[in-house]
Amino acid sequence: MKRIAFISLGFLFLLFSCNQKNELEHLSNQIQNDPLAIKYFKTIKETGKLVNLVKYEDYIKLRGQTGVCETSLEMFQGNQKMYELAKSTCEILRLGKEFKSKYPITKSLSDDEKRVVYGSLLKSGPLTPEEIQERIKLVSNN
Amino acid sequence: MKKILLILIIALPSSLHAGFCNDTYIANQEIIDENFHLQVDACESADCLDEAVTTYSVASLANTVALLTCCGSLGPLFC
């Protein structure tokens, strides 16, 4: 009797695991082909690139207590990249809300599950030698 | 002289190669970037987002400094 119960439990566990795997694969296909998700992750990547092209301490000082969505070019003393960084961060907030209300299940996924579901959307392309040089220049000037 | 050269060649870690510093920098940056994307995705408030960007900025800066240090100590061949 115990043996039957044990085998049944094992079978149920296998069935549950397979079903969960299929659900993740389905979600992965859906998200990776969704223009909203593509735009959301593209904006995150662009924000990351901008972070590496500005003196972040100066950006924080100039922004002060102002929210990312209430900034202006004048606030950053005409520094276009800093202004774009604030705008891009604000855009992440907007797209993030939209993305999470469309895919609420992603909120309960672990980082490893997200790596599977988001796939290539999470990867940033390899840096070009020019981008590396620009970053080195910024650090050397500090 | 030959013996010293031989010891040096053997002692050099096999992972060291031309462009080693740059390759290490790019590989580390990819990990830093991926973690940043995950951290941002986990955020639901502006404060959380600010924190993620600050963490990313510090990690990225440290990686660039490591690249400069690597190039400075190993020489231009490894950059």
Side-chain angles (χ1 to χ4, degrees):
Chain A
M1 192 61 186
K2 271 185 186 172
R3 193 180 282 178
I4 293 169
F6 186 71
I7 291 168
S8 305
L9 271 176
F11 181 72
L12 279 173
F13 176 75
L14 270 176
L15 203 69
F16 176 74
S17 302
C18 285
N19 193 34
Q20 205 180 19
K21 200 183 163 203
N22 280 342
E23 271 178 28
L24 284 184
E25 272 175 17
H26 176 70
L27 183 68
S28 175
N29 280 334
Q30 207 180 341
I31 287 179
Q32 289 188 44
N33 292 305
D34 185 339
L36 169 65
I38 294 168
K39 195 176 175 193
Y40 171 51
F41 283 101
K42 195 179 164 208
T43 310
I44 296 177
K45 286 176 204 170
E46 279 169 1
T47 306
K49 282 195 173 183
L50 284 166
V51 171
N52 288 304
L53 295 176
V54 301
K55 284 186 182 174
Y56 194 69
E57 279 181 24
D58 292 351
Y59 166 80
I60 289 294
K61 268 184 210 158
L62 291 171
R63 214 186 88 194
Q65 296 298 312
T66 316
V68 279
C69 298
E70 287 93 42
T71 56
S72 63
L73 187 57
E74 291 73 38
M75 179 181 282
F76 298 113
Q77 298 169 347
N79 187 317
Q80 189 68 35
K81 279 178 186 159
M82 285 189 186
Y83 180 53
E84 277 174 25
L85 174 59
K87 276 204 303 183
S88 190
T89 313
C90 174
E91 185 71 352
I92 292 179
L93 278 172
R94 188 185 68 78
L95 290 169
K97 269 182 197 161
E98 216 177 310
F99 176 76
K100 277 156 205 161
S101 65
K102 190 169 181 183
Y103 302 103
I105 193 172
T106 56
K107 285 196 238 175
S108 58
L109 296 178
S110 68
D111 280 357
D112 282 340
E113 285 169 330
K114 280 184 180 177
R115 282 190 180 95
V116 174
V117 171
Y118 299 156
S120 60
L121 291 177
L122 275 183
K123 306 270 178 209
S124 53
L127 288 162
T128 63
E130 290 76 26
E131 283 173 319
I132 296 176
Q133 282 312 312
E134 211 166 344
R135 289 179 186 193
I136 288 175
K137 213 169 116 187
L138 192 78
V139 172
S140 304
N141 288 341
N142 267 344
Chain B
M1 186 64 186
K2 274 184 183 172
K3 269 185 187 172
I4 294 170
L5 200 66
L6 195 69
I7 290 168
L8 271 176
I9 291 168
I10 295 168
L12 273 177
S14 57
S15 59
L16 280 184
H17 56 271
F20 165 79
C21 296
N22 263 16
D23 291 349
T24 309
Y25 171 76
I26 291 170
N28 285 340
Q29 195 60 43
E30 277 177 16
I31 297 168
I32 293 168
D33 283 356
E34 192 177 285
N35 284 336
F36 170 62
H37 302 156
L38 282 170
Q39 207 183 342
V40 167
D41 182 57
C43 282
E44 289 192 59
S45 69
D47 284 347
C48 171
L49 199 54
D50 268 346
E51 206 180 304
V53 176
T54 305
T55 307
Y56 174 67
S57 154
V58 172
S60 252
L61 183 69
N63 195 28
T64 312
V65 171
L67 169 68
L68 287 172
T69 312
C70 181
C71 291
S73 44
L74 291 181
L77 173 69
F78 297 98
C79 287

